[in-house]
Amino acid sequence: MAMDDDRSMPGAAPPSERRPVLVLGGTHFIGRATVEALLATGQYDLTLFNRGQTRHPFGQCVTHVKGDRRDPSAVAVVLRSKPRWHAVVDCIAYRSDDLEPIFMHRRRVRVCLFLSLSP
């Protein structure tokens, strides 16, 4: 699959019908695999929120918002950037207080998924 041309995929939704998904992280390991799987469906409008220290391979297929997830106000700004998110996938929450900004905006989010490789 060409990552920069998911519109030509069979069954891909038109851009106006794609459901917005916010991925915190998304450039390494499980986060990257999650983004690849979501893109492969052609059904989601993906926004990645991370520090931008790792270049992502997704090109124009995703919107990238640079920010630090440990800054609650930065997370709040990205959560308020859409009236409603179909899902928020958090791949980089390491402490319970990392989740607080998402919980504070839970009415904007249909599904929250927290993935962790930490013990």
Side-chain angles (χ1 to χ4, degrees), residues 21 33 38 48 55 58 62 74-75 86 90 93 102 104 106 115 119:
V21 173
L38 290 168
L48 303 185
R55 189 175 187 159
F58 308 116
V62 303
V75 176
H86 176 70
D90 192 335
I102 297 169
M104 290 176 56
R106 65 187 170 273
L115 307 174

Side-chain angles (χ1 to χ4, degrees), residues 51-92:
R51 293 177 296 166
Q53 293 184 341
T54 301
R55 189 175 187 159
H56 68 79
F58 308 116
Q60 300 286 325
C61 292
V62 303
T63 299
H64 180 245
V65 177
K66 188 174 178 180
D68 190 341
R69 76 104 51 249
R70 299 219 182 220
D71 177 356
S73 62
V75 176
V77 167
V78 74
L79 284 167
R80 289 191 304 258
S81 69
K82 297 212 186 270
R84 183 123 169 106
W85 293 92
H86 176 70
V88 172
V89 181
D90 192 335
C91 305
I92 52 176

Side-chain angles (χ1 to χ4, degrees), residues 14-29:
S16 64
E17 294 179 17
R18 294 181 189 177
R19 294 173 283 186
V21 173
L22 174 62
V23 178
L24 282 78
T27 59
H28 288 289
F29 309 115

